[in-house]
Amino acid sequence: MLEKTYDHAAIEPRMSKAWEDAEAFRAGKALEVNPKAEPYSIVIPPPNVTGSLHMGHALNNTLQDVLARFYRMRGRDVLWQPGTDHAGIATQSLVERQLMEKQEPSRRDLGREEFLRRVWAWKEHSGGTIVNQLKRLGASCDWSRERFTMDEGLSRAVVKVFVDLYNDGLIRKDKRLVNWDPKLQTAISDLEVISVEKKGNFTWSEKTAEEKPFDAVAFAKVIDRDPSGHLYYFKYPIKDAEKLDRKFVVVATTRPETMLGDMAVAVNPEDERWKPYIGKTVILPLVGREIPIVADEHADPEQGSGAVKITPAHDTDDFEVWKRHRAEIKAATGMDEPINLLRPDGTLKTSVFDDFSWGHRAPDPNNPNVIHSDDDGLVGPSAVYSIPEAYRGLDRFEARKRVVADLVALGLVEKIEPHLMKVPYGDRSNVVIEPYLTDQWYVDAKTLAQPALAAVREGRTRFVPENWRTVYFQWLENIQPWCISRQLWWGHQIPAWYGPDGHIFVAHDEAEAQALAREHYGKAATLARDEDVLDTWFSSGLWPFSTLGWPDETPELKRYYPTSVLVTGFDIIFFWVARMMMLGLHFEKEVPFRDVYIHALVRDEKGAKMSKSKGNVVDPLSVMDNYGADALRFTMAAMAAQGRDVKLSMQRIEGYRNFATKLWNAARFCEMNGCVRKEGFDPAAAKLTLNRWIYAEAQATAAAVTEAIEAYRFNDAAGAVYRFVWNRFCDWYLEFAKPVFMGEDEAAKAETQATAAWALDEILKLLHPFMPFVTEELWTVTGEDGPARTSLLALAPWPTPARDTDAAALAEIDWVIDLISEIRSLRSEMNVPPATLLPLTLTGATDDTKARAARYEAFLKRMARLSDIGFADVPPQGSAQFVLGEATMALALAGVIDIAAERERLKKEIGKHESEITKIDARFANEQFVAKAAEEVLEDNRERRAEAVAAAERLKAALQRLANVA
C-alpha cells in the first residue's frame, strides 16, 4: 500500500540499499539471463578523491546513469566503471594544511615515507566522501569494481607505460618553460591556471615629473595591494649612441623585475624605424650587461615603440625568440643559456649557481667563475649571469617595487599606466603563476597525436555534438610536448634513477635500474631516484584500459574495451579525452571509446558561471536534501540540450519535485480504484477507445524516448516522458477513466483498470533512467498485488514500441483534448470567470463530429465548464470563435464579459510586449553592447525577446477572436 504522501527522504536510502543488496548493477549480470547480451561500457570521469559533489558532477553522472540504466534495461551487459583520482596537488595540499592546523611537523620535517603514510591514512579515512555522494545521486556503477589511480594495479600500469614510452623514444627530459606555482613549488597544468582580469590605478610619466614626482611609497602600497595591472615603459640606453638618431630603446613590460634577466631586444625586420639598429647592443639598466638588438617578427610595429624585451626564462614567446637567435645572442653576450631569475619559491636568486638546475652543467670546481657545458666547453664567466646585489633574495613583487623605483631614479622610466590584463593564478594556491624555465619530463605528444587525429577523422570515434571535433583537431594539430612531471611527493614517483654522473636509468623498479647501471658502468653504482611524481592526467589517461586490468590480458579488458561512450565536459577535451585517445591507441591499438558526448556547463538561472566569489554556487547535496535526487536528476536531463549550457533554476527543480509528487498521486489514484496488473493482459486488444488511445500514446512515447536517448538528446527524451506522464496519463487518461471507474459497465471497468496498471508500469520503465528512486519504489509497492515481479525495475525489460497503433482512437481522444484545451485557453485570454458556464455552438460539423461531441458531452461540459453543446448553420452573435478540424467552435461571450474593455486590455498587453521587443532589438543594434555584453546577458535578452514575441502573437490571436463579438 502506497503512503499518502511522496517522501523522497524516506524512499531514497531504502532504494539504494535494495540495489546494493541485489548487486543489480554488477557487470555480467545480463549474461545470467542472456549469454549473448552485448557489452555496453562507460568509464566514469574519476572525481578527485578530495572532492565533494558539485553541479558539474551532478550533470555528468546523471547523464551517464541515464545511459547505463537505459541500456541495462534493454538487455545489454552494462559496465559502468567507477573510481577516483588521487589528485596530486589537491590531496598533498590538504594533508599539509591539516599538519599545519594541528601544529604537527611539516612535510619535509616528516620525510617522504612518513608523509605518504599520513596521506594514505587520510585517504582510507576520508577519501570515499564523493563516492558516497555519487551513490546518493543514484549512480548505478558496478561499485564492486571501484578503482583508485594509486592502487597497485593502476600503479603497475603507469610504470609500464612510462618505461615503454621512454624506451620508444617518446618520453625524455628537457628544459622548457612551464606554469610554475611559487607557493606549491611545482609545475602545474593549464587546467589548474585561472586567468583573472586586472587593471591597476597608478599613473606616472617623466613628462609630468616636475608637477608630480614619482612617489615610491605610494607606488609600493599599490603593488602590495595588487602587484598586477600596470604597463611600464623602460628606456634602455643604446651603446655608442652618440652618432645615432636614437639614444634609447623604449620597451614595455607588465613584469618589471624580469628585466634583470633580459638577453635581447627584438624589433620587427620590416620596421623602418629600427632597421639601422639591428645588430647593435643596448646596455641593460641596473645590470650593466650588453644585450643585442635582434630582428624578429615577434615584435609588432603597431604596439608601443615596436621594440620588445626578450626574457627567455620567464616568457613563452621570448623563449621561442631566444631559440631562433641563440647563436646571435651568445655571440653578443657570451651567454648560452637563458637566465632564470627566480628560486622555486618566487624569490630572486643570487646567480645561476643558486639553486642550479641545468642538468649536467655545473660550476668548474677549479674555477668558480666558469660554468661547464655538456661537452666541457666553457659557457662563460659567472659574472654575466649574476643578479645585482640589491635585489638578491627579494620576493618577486618586492623586487618589482625596487626595480621600478631605481629605474625612475636613473631617469630610465618613460611612463607607468594602468593596463587591463589577464593574470594567471593557481586555482589551488591563489598566487600569481610564473612562466618558469626548469627541467621536466615530457611526452612527445605530437607523435602520439597523429593516430588520435586519424581515428576521429575516420569516424572510429565520433563527437556529439559534432562541432567539438573542430576543437579536438585544433588542439592536437598544434600540440606541444606534454609536461608530465610534478614537484610533489603524493603521486606516482617517476621510475627513473640517476647515476653518479647524472646518467638516467628508466626501469620498472630499482632492481632493474641497478642491473642497467651495472651494464652501463661495468660495476655496481649508487643510484638516486627522481623525486618528482607524474602529472595526474598521465595516470587518468590510461583509465579506459588500466581499470580493466591492463597490462594483463584480462577477460574484462577483452570484453569491455573499447568502451561505448565517454560523457565529459568540454574543458577537458585536451587534458583528458585527447590523452586517453593517444595512449589507448598506442598501447591497445584501438580507440578507447566509440562516442564522446560533450555536455555544457551548469550555470545559475541567469546564465552566469557559478563561482564562490559571486555567491551563486548551488550545492547539489542541499538540493537533494530539499527536493530529492530524482528532482535534481530530472532537471539536469531535461535541460541538457546539446550545445547549450544548463541554466539551473530552483523553480525548475521544485517543478520536477512536483512532477514526482504528481506521479505518486496518480499511482495512489490507480491503487484506490483497483488498477491491478492482470496476468496475460494484452493492452493492444483493448476495446474501449480510451484504452486504445493510451496504448497508442505509450507506444509513441516509448519510441520517442528510445530514439532520443540513443542520439544523446537527453532533453528531448525527458520532455517526451514528462509530457506523457503529466499531460496524457495524469491530466487526461485518468480524468477520462473516472466515469468508467464509477460506472456500471463492469467489463469496461476491468479493462480500464488493467490498462491503467499496464500504462503505469510503462511509465515507471520509461521514467526510471531519469528518476530511479521514486520509480523503483512505485514498482516495488505496486508489485505487491497481481502477478509477482520477476526483477527490480532497474533490471526490468525496456518497452518495445509496437509498429502499428490505433489511428482512429488517437484522432478521437485527441479531438476531445484539443477542444477542451482551446476552450480553456480562450476563457483564460478573455478573462472569463472560472465559475461561469458558457454555451458552445458547433457550425459546419460533420455527422462524425456531431456523434463524437454527443459521446463525450458530459465529459466536455465538466472539463470545459460548458452549460450546453449545440449545433447551428452560423455562429451566434456575440461569440468568440476558433476552428477545430472541419468545424467552427463558437463560445457566446456577449453579456458575460465587457467586450470593449477586454479589447482595450488586450491591446494594452500587446503594446507592452511590443515595447519590450523594440527595446531588445535596439540593444542588439548597438554594436558596442553586443561586443561588450557577457554571453549570458545576450542569451537572456534573446530568450526575453522570444517570450515577448510569443506572448504578443497569442494576444493578437485573442484580439482577432473578439473582432466578431458584437
Side-chain angles (χ1 to χ4, degrees):
M1 185 74 177
L2 286 170
E3 295 293 332
K4 185 176 181 180
T5 58
Y6 163 61
D7 181 3
H8 70 266
I11 290 170
E12 290 173 7
R14 184 163 62 241
M15 289 301 98
S16 288
K17 188 173 188 307
W19 292 327
E20 190 172 341
D21 290 346
E23 296 183 338
F25 310 128
R26 181 169 53 82
K29 190 78 175 177
L31 296 176
E32 297 174 8
V33 179
N34 177 17
K36 295 182 179 180
E38 294 182 27
Y40 184 88
S41 53
I42 309 175
V43 291
I44 196 171
N48 287 352
V49 71
T50 60
S52 182
L53 195 73
H54 57 62
M55 278 301 174
H57 292 133
L59 171 63
N60 181 274
N61 286 277
T62 291
L63 300 184
Q64 289 178 85
D65 195 46
V66 168
L67 292 170
R69 290 178 183 272
F70 170 71
Y71 281 103
R72 192 180 290 115
M73 293 175 74
R74 297 189 80 190
R76 299 283 289 272
D77 175 21
V78 173
L79 167 61
W80 184 12
Q81 175 64 54
T84 50
D85 186 271
H86 63 277
I89 292 176
T91 306
Q92 180 164 312
S93 298
L94 183 150
V95 176
E96 285 194 89
R97 187 166 59 251
Q98 288 183 343
L99 292 174
M100 183 176 64
E101 290 171 353
K102 295 177 182 178
Q103 297 184 331
E104 295 190 51
S106 69
R107 167 169 64 101
R108 297 200 177 275
D109 290 336
L110 287 172
R112 187 169 194 142
E113 184 177 345
E114 174 59 19
F115 177 74
L116 292 180
R117 190 192 68 77
R118 298 286 188 99
V119 180
W120 276 109
W122 173 86
K123 191 267 177 185
E124 294 305 314
H125 184 263
S126 305
T129 298
I130 196 164
V131 167
N132 292 326
Q133 291 168 346
L134 288 172
K135 290 179 179 179
R136 185 178 172 192
L137 184 68
S140 61
C141 300
D142 183 348
W143 295 108
S144 69
R145 293 186 50 84
E146 184 182 345
R147 303 303 298 269
F148 178 54
T149 48
M150 287 281 286
D151 70 27
E152 183 179 351
L154 270 65
S155 296
R156 186 161 60 94
V158 167
V159 171
K160 177 174 173 54
V161 166
F162 187 96
V163 173
D164 286 0
L165 289 177
Y166 180 83
N167 290 335
D168 291 341
L170 294 171
I171 283 182
R172 64 189 177 93
K173 201 165 189 182
D174 195 9
K175 181 181 289 296
R176 298 175 65 91
L177 281 160
V178 297
N179 298 315
W180 186 263
D181 190 312
K183 182 177 180 180
L184 300 175
Q185 297 186 36
T186 180
I188 61 174
S189 71
D190 290 343
L191 191 64
E192 293 154 326
V193 177
I194 300 172
S195 290
V196 180
E197 280 197 343
K198 296 282 186 178
K199 188 175 184 179
N201 59 4
F202 188 86
T203 303
W204 182 84
S205 169
E206 65 177 353
K207 292 182 179 179
T208 60
E210 289 188 9
E211 301 174 12
K212 183 184 176 183
F214 180 78
D215 188 336
V217 174
F219 174 71
K221 289 181 179 178
V222 169
I223 298 302
D224 287 340
R225 188 163 55 247
D226 192 332
S228 306
H230 294 93
L231 193 59
Y232 305 82
Y233 294 81
F234 296 159
K235 298 190 296 183
Y236 289 7
I238 300 173
K239 185 181 179 182
D240 300 329
E242 295 81 2
K243 298 178 181 180
L244 301 175
D245 294 335
R246 298 174 183 267
K247 309 302 180 188
F248 301 98
V249 175
V250 177
V251 297
T253 180
T254 57
R255 298 155 66 213
E257 68 282 1
T258 64
M259 60 84 60
L260 299 171
D262 284 358
M263 298 186 72
V265 171
V267 297
N268 194 286
E270 302 302 319
D271 192 337
E272 295 295 334
R273 296 172 297 175
W274 293 109
K275 278 186 177 182
Y277 298 87
I278 295 171
K280 297 188 180 301
T281 60
V282 299
I283 307 300
L284 185 61
L286 305 178
V287 180
R289 289 198 310 268
E290 290 185 33
I291 59 175
I293 300 174
V294 300
D296 196 280
E297 291 184 354
H298 169 62
D300 184 353
E302 303 299 320
Q303 295 293 323
S305 68
V308 293
K309 60 191 285 294
I310 303 301
T311 319
H314 296 281
D315 183 274
T316 303
D317 292 330
D318 290 4
F319 185 70
E320 295 302 316
V321 174
W322 171 80
K323 286 198 298 184
R324 290 193 289 270
H325 299 274
R326 184 172 184 174
E328 187 179 350
I329 292 172
K330 180 181 178 181
T333 65
M335 294 183 287
D336 193 32
E337 293 289 345
I339 301 172
N340 191 341
L341 297 168
L342 298 177
R343 297 188 183 109
D345 63 357
T347 58
L348 270 65
K349 296 178 180 179
T350 301
S351 71
V352 291
F353 303 139
D354 180 9
D355 187 37
F356 208 86
S357 58
W358 285 0
H360 305 327
R361 294 174 174 81
D364 187 323
N366 300 315
N367 185 351
N369 292 321
V370 171
I371 305 169
H372 282 285
S373 65
D374 290 328
D375 58 3
D376 264 356
L378 298 183
V379 173
S382 63
V384 300
Y385 290 92
S386 296
I387 295 169
E389 186 174 358
Y391 312 106
R392 295 173 188 172
L394 294 180
D395 174 78
R396 53 187 167 152
F397 299 128
E398 185 64 30
R400 179 170 298 184
K401 294 184 286 188
R402 297 270 191 97
V403 164
V404 172
D406 290 348
L407 286 174
V408 169
L410 292 170
L412 296 177
V413 178
E414 184 181 82
K415 60 181 175 178
I416 304 169
E417 59 188 18
H419 178 67
L420 182 65
M421 58 186 291
K422 288 189 175 180
V423 182
Y425 279 81
D427 68 344
R428 299 284 178 186
S429 63
N430 198 33
V431 300
V432 177
I433 298 303
E434 289 287 340
Y436 191 70
L437 187 64
T438 179
D439 287 305
Q440 302 286 348
W441 289 92
Y442 289 89
V443 171
D444 180 1
K446 187 172 184 179
T447 297
L448 290 176
Q450 302 316 305
L453 284 164
V456 175
R457 290 193 178 110
E458 294 164 6
R460 286 181 283 148
T461 291
R462 68 175 183 133
F463 279 83
V464 182
E466 190 175 354
N467 62 290
W468 289 111
R469 281 166 46 104
T470 304
V471 175
Y472 175 83
F473 290 149
Q474 286 173 344
W475 278 337
L476 287 189
E477 286 165 354
N478 298 284
I479 198 166
Q480 297 296 311
W482 169 18
C483 177
I484 57 171
S485 46
R486 297 291 182 265
Q487 289 61 59
L488 303 170
W489 286 357
W490 173 244
H492 296 100
Q493 192 171 358
I494 291 173
W497 285 260
Y498 299 92
D501 59 353
H503 189 85
I504 300 173
F505 302 96
V506 170
H508 293 87
D509 52 37
E510 188 170 3
E512 184 182 349
Q514 289 286 0
L516 292 172
R518 281 193 298 272
E519 182 180 343
H520 177 76
Y521 295 118
K523 60 180 181 179
T526 301
L527 302 181
R529 187 169 182 177
D530 195 311
E531 291 194 351
D532 290 353
V533 300
L534 288 163
D535 173 18
T536 53
W537 294 107
F538 188 86
S539 54
S540 60
L542 317 180
W543 193 247
F545 54 95
S546 65
T547 53
L548 298 176
W550 188 92
D552 297 332
E553 290 295 326
T554 63
E556 293 85 357
L557 182 64
K558 184 177 180 180
R559 179 161 183 78
Y560 299 110
Y561 188 93
T563 62
S564 305
V565 63
L566 176 74
V567 179
T568 190
F570 65 86
D571 53 337
I572 54 173
I573 290 177
F574 174 68
F575 292 96
W576 192 44
V577 179
R579 288 165 183 176
M580 285 189 287
M581 287 287 286
M582 291 188 288
L583 294 168
L585 283 160
H586 186 79
F587 286 96
E588 280 296 290
K589 311 305 177 189
E590 178 60 280
V591 296
F593 20 72
R594 300 300 184 194
D595 291 343
V596 180
Y597 174 79
I598 302 294
H599 62 72
L601 286 176
V602 182
R603 298 178 177 271
D604 70 12
E605 60 185 325
K606 295 180 180 178
K609 190 172 181 178
M610 292 187 186
S611 71
K612 292 180 180 178
S613 61
K614 291 180 181 178
N616 63 345
V617 174
V618 179
D619 178 10
L621 300 173
S622 175
V623 170
M624 288 191 285
D625 285 342
N626 294 324
Y627 300 106
D630 284 329
L632 176 61
R633 288 170 58 106
F634 200 88
T635 303
M636 291 299 183
M639 302 188 74
Q642 289 183 11
R644 294 189 64 182
D645 289 341
V646 174
K647 291 184 180 179
L648 190 63
S649 161
M650 297 308 295
Q651 188 175 3
R652 289 289 293 268
I653 295 172
E654 185 175 358
Y656 291 129
R657 191 273 313 273
N658 295 341
F659 175 54
T661 300
K662 180 95 169 178
L663 173 64
W664 186 271
N665 292 339
R668 286 193 72 246
F669 176 84
C670 290
E671 184 181 65
M672 290 186 293
N673 282 279
C675 300
V676 178
R677 293 168 299 113
K678 297 289 190 282
E679 188 79 52
F681 175 71
D682 180 9
K687 296 180 179 179
L688 265 67
T689 301
L690 171 65
N691 294 328
R692 297 201 308 274
W693 171 78
I694 198 63
Y695 172 75
E697 287 285 352
Q699 302 311 302
T701 301
V705 174
T706 300
E707 180 186 358
I709 295 178
E710 288 178 334
Y712 305 108
R713 291 185 284 104
F714 298 97
N715 61 312
D716 290 339
V721 70
Y722 178 91
R723 288 188 295 273
F724 176 63
V725 174
W726 192 296
N727 302 123
R728 284 341 211 187
F729 184 74
C730 295
D731 280 356
W732 293 111
Y733 178 73
L734 295 183
E735 285 296 332
F736 276 109
K738 283 178 181 178
V740 181
F741 292 150
M742 294 184 290
E744 302 295 329
D745 189 335
E746 293 300 323
K749 181 188 297 185
E751 179 187 280
T752 304
Q753 289 170 330
T755 302
W758 170 86
L760 182 60
D761 270 9
E762 296 298 285
I763 284 171
L764 299 181
K765 293 174 185 177
L766 293 172
L767 193 55
H768 181 71
F770 306 95
M771 305 181 92
F773 292 103
V774 66
T775 53
E776 190 76 77
E777 173 78 1
L778 289 172
W779 180 266
T780 302
V781 178
T782 58
E784 293 170 357
D785 297 319
R789 300 283 196 201
T790 58
S791 72
L792 291 166
L793 176 57
L795 302 177
W798 184 257
T800 303
R803 293 184 178 180
D804 300 319
T805 53
D806 194 328
L810 281 170
E812 177 155 320
I813 301 299
D814 284 350
W815 180 86
V816 177
I817 292 172
D818 290 346
L819 177 55
I820 295 171
S821 299
E822 286 285 349
I823 293 171
R824 287 175 172 176
S825 177
L826 191 149
R827 291 176 64 106
S828 175
E829 290 167 358
M830 305 301 177
N831 275 339
V832 176
T836 302
L837 302 181
L838 299 176
L840 174 69
T841 302
L842 284 68
T843 62
T846 63
D847 291 341
D848 285 345
T849 298
K850 290 177 181 178
R852 192 179 284 167
R855 282 196 297 274
Y856 296 96
E857 181 176 5
F859 187 76
L860 288 168
K861 286 181 176 179
R862 177 167 64 89
M863 299 298 289
R865 307 293 295 155
L866 300 176
S867 59
D868 185 43
I869 300 176
F871 305 93
D873 294 332
V874 294
Q877 290 292 317
S879 63
Q881 303 162 23
F882 60 90
V883 175
L884 182 63
E886 85 291 348
T888 298
M889 311 291 173
L891 278 178
L893 296 178
V896 176
I897 60 173
D898 186 331
I899 303 298
E902 194 57 30
R903 285 190 183 122
E904 290 304 313
R905 184 188 69 81
L906 290 172
K907 289 177 183 178
K908 187 175 180 181
E909 289 295 320
I910 292 168
K912 287 181 180 178
H913 291 298
E914 289 182 337
S915 176
E916 177 72 0
I917 294 166
T918 300
K919 288 178 184 177
I920 294 172
D921 286 344
R923 291 192 194 112
F924 279 104
N926 184 334
E927 293 181 1
Q928 288 188 339
F929 170 78
V930 175
K932 294 181 179 180
E935 180 55 37
E936 58 263 28
V937 174
L938 297 175
E939 182 63 22
D940 179 62
N941 275 269
R942 293 188 195 103
E943 290 181 1
R944 286 169 53 199
R945 188 185 189 283
E947 291 170 0
V949 168
E953 292 301 318
R954 186 176 66 253
L955 293 169
K956 286 177 182 178
L959 187 62
Q960 182 61 38
R961 288 185 182 129
L962 280 181
N964 298 321
V965 180

